[in-house]
Amino acid sequence: MRELKNVTCIEDLRKLARRKVPRAFFDYAEAGSYSEETLRANRRDFEAIKLRQRVLVDVSARDTATTILGGKVSLPIALGPVAMTGLEYGDGEILACRAAHSAGVPFTMSTLSICSIEDVAAAVKKPFWFQLYVMKDRGFVRSLVERAIAAKCSALVLTVDLQVLGQRHIDIKNGLSVPPSLKIKNLINMASKPRWVASVLLGKRWTFGNLHGYVKGMEDVRSLAQWVGSQFDPTLNWKDVEWIKSIWPGKLVIKGILDLEDAKLAAKTGADALVVSNHGGRQLDGAPSSISALAKIADVVGSEIEVMFDGGVRSGQDVLRALALGARGCLIGRAYIFGLGAAGEAGVKKAIEIIRKELDVSMALTGLKSVQEIGRHTLAQ
Ligand code: GLV
């Protein structure tokens, strides 16, 4: 694709996506909650971690492959769940899943996706992971889990840090809504994004594919925040994790752990993995950065439960840093969403390839030949 020719880093994809995607949806993906302190801390604390340059090691044969949740991956990342991916680019979940699978990494579909579980399952050849939000209607939650089983999803990623929604000011200011609201202001903005109009507005999927027709009150929902407020269950607690575990037979991942005590409780549930995460700085503003919480959690519970990581990963160097601090793999969110907004499936592939090359070169320059060799010793003191 011509427009990807000069793209050399995730930041280039971000700039391209900003031009191509209507403002409300670009901003939705990019924003953090409230003053965005935690959003900024996620990046700032990553950049403060220095890698240890090593020389004169034969690094001619290098391999970025590893396993996550027992499955082989070509590099230690998975595409994390992002709501409304299909409004960044038409059929976005299908395209991102295809790009992930062709690159040899897992894709996680969000409960709040635009394509439905069945749409994606019908369009891809390999299983994907499904992220679950627990809603008040437990019958509906059970039916979602059953649909994920029927679609042969290979892992369930239970998000536990969004019982209530952290406010993102920009979404309110933009009047973010699903389906997209066709007010004059938005139409003017969309008119300058012809490819988005062709792929989303003229496409057939505009609303939450997993919920539409299943959930009462979906039809007249105005804003995401309003809907989340009315449907998400603030009573969610550790007992519910047991219940989910009893109805889901496959691998279970608990996403949204930032505190050591919670990590210990997560390990006790018998889940297969946890994700150290502050929801990309989108929930509790003022919380520590995700990367600053990782090492302690990995040290204490890493032998009992697989520890994954997300929050601010924008490069292969970041993946290397997170693995050095004990993560088994990283979920990437915005990094691939920018690729998707920039150029659809080719853009997601580009995002993954950028991270792959950066990780490969950074491993070489830190004197490492395989992911298994990465450790605390990979960091400069
Ligand atoms: C939902 O997961 C969001 O962060 O908006």
Side-chain angles (χ1 to χ4, degrees):
M1 218 185 228
R2 200 164 35 90
E3 57 216 332
L4 291 179
K5 221 176 73 207
N6 291 324
V7 165
T8 60
C9 56
I10 298 296
E11 176 59 16
D12 289 343
L13 291 173
R14 190 186 74 84
K15 287 191 186 127
L16 252 183
R18 197 171 50 181
R19 290 213 324 259
K20 305 264 177 189
V21 177
R23 187 142 176 212
F25 301 112
F26 177 83
D27 286 348
Y28 167 73
E30 176 164 69
S33 55
Y34 302 100
S35 330
E36 302 190 329
E37 281 173 33
T38 297
L39 176 86
R40 285 191 298 277
N42 277 354
R43 287 296 316 142
R44 188 194 57 223
D45 290 355
F46 248 132
E47 285 166 11
I49 296 168
K50 300 303 171 200
L51 295 165
R52 185 166 164 214
Q53 172 177 305
R54 297 300 308 275
V55 298
L56 295 172
V57 181
D58 178 354
V59 288
S60 54
R62 298 185 302 282
D63 189 0
T64 58
T66 181
T67 58
I68 298 181
L69 291 179
K72 193 156 176 12
V73 292
S74 73
L75 79 162
I77 66 168
L79 305 197
V82 178
M84 303 195 289
T85 295
L87 293 180
E88 305 288 330
Y89 196 102
D91 293 341
E93 291 87 5
I94 293 174
L95 303 184
C97 188
R98 285 192 183 137
H101 286 175
S102 75
V105 301
F107 168 78
T108 319
M109 157 179 244
S110 166
T111 290
L112 301 180
S113 56
I114 302 300
C115 297
S116 68
I117 302 178
E118 294 77 15
D119 288 338
V120 177
V124 302
K125 297 200 179 69
K126 282 190 269 174
F128 51 92
W129 299 356
F130 181 68
Q131 175 266 345
L132 184 69
Y133 275 130
V134 177
M135 276 154 270
K136 288 177 184 152
D137 179 347
R138 294 302 160 89
F140 177 66
V141 174
R142 184 187 280 273
S143 82
L144 265 182
V145 170
E146 282 164 4
R147 290 164 66 191
I149 295 170
K152 303 201 163 33
C153 290
S154 50
L156 190 73
V157 179
L158 176 67
T159 301
V160 295
D161 59 3
L162 200 141
Q163 280 158 297
V164 295
L165 189 74
Q167 178 168 303
R168 299 90 192 243
H169 299 318
I170 194 75
D171 292 347
I172 296 173
K173 294 189 167 90
N174 286 336
L176 178 76
S177 69
V178 183
S181 99
L182 301 179
K183 282 193 242 138
I184 293 291
K185 189 176 111 198
N186 297 345
L187 286 173
I188 295 171
N189 186 246
M190 287 171 192
S192 62
K193 325 278 177 199
R195 210 196 41 213
W196 183 89
V197 170
S199 87
V200 176
L201 270 199
L202 305 180
K204 56 179 191 285
R205 298 181 178 113
W206 295 34
T207 186
F208 296 120
N210 292 328
L211 315 175
H212 200 69
Y214 291 87
V215 179
K216 277 198 241 65
M218 253 314 284
E219 297 73 20
D220 57 3
V221 59
R222 288 235 183 72
S223 75
L224 179 70
Q226 206 181 36
W227 188 78
V228 166
S230 69
Q231 302 286 331
F232 280 40
D233 191 351
T235 71
L236 185 69
N237 64 71
W238 290 103
K239 281 223 162 52
D240 296 305
V241 178
E242 269 171 43
W243 174 64
I244 298 290
K245 209 164 176 301
S246 74
I247 60 171
W248 169 256
K251 304 272 183 196
L252 180 66
V253 181
I254 300 179
K255 174 175 174 286
I257 300 291
L258 204 60
D259 185 89
L260 183 56
E261 290 313 308
D262 288 339
K264 289 181 191 162
L265 293 170
K268 274 209 204 111
T269 64
D272 299 278
L274 62 80
V275 185
V276 175
S277 173
N278 53 29
H279 212 105
R282 298 163 69 81
Q283 283 295 97
L284 178 62
D285 195 35
S289 68
S290 225
I291 195 68
S292 69
L294 172 62
K296 208 194 290 170
I297 291 176
D299 285 349
V300 176
V301 301
S303 58
E304 295 162 58
I305 186 168
E306 208 158 281
V307 174
M308 290 196 252
F309 172 84
D310 78 15
V313 176
R314 298 287 184 281
S315 67
Q317 291 88 318
D318 294 338
V319 174
L320 184 55
R321 289 163 166 144
L323 263 67
L325 290 170
R328 175 108 208 151
C330 296
L331 301 185
I332 60 167
R334 296 180 181 93
Y336 91 82
I337 288 294
F338 295 150
L340 180 72
E345 184 174 344
V348 179
K349 279 191 183 150
K350 185 79 183 179
I352 299 169
E353 287 322 307
I354 286 169
I355 292 176
R356 186 196 305 285
K357 283 198 193 126
E358 289 168 342
L359 175 64
D360 176 60
V361 169
S362 306
M363 279 169 55
L365 298 178
T366 49
L368 303 170
K369 296 182 285 299
S370 72
V371 167
Q372 292 64 40
E373 289 174 3
I374 301 171
R376 245 10 101 74
H377 54 271
T378 309
L379 303 177
Q381 290 317 306

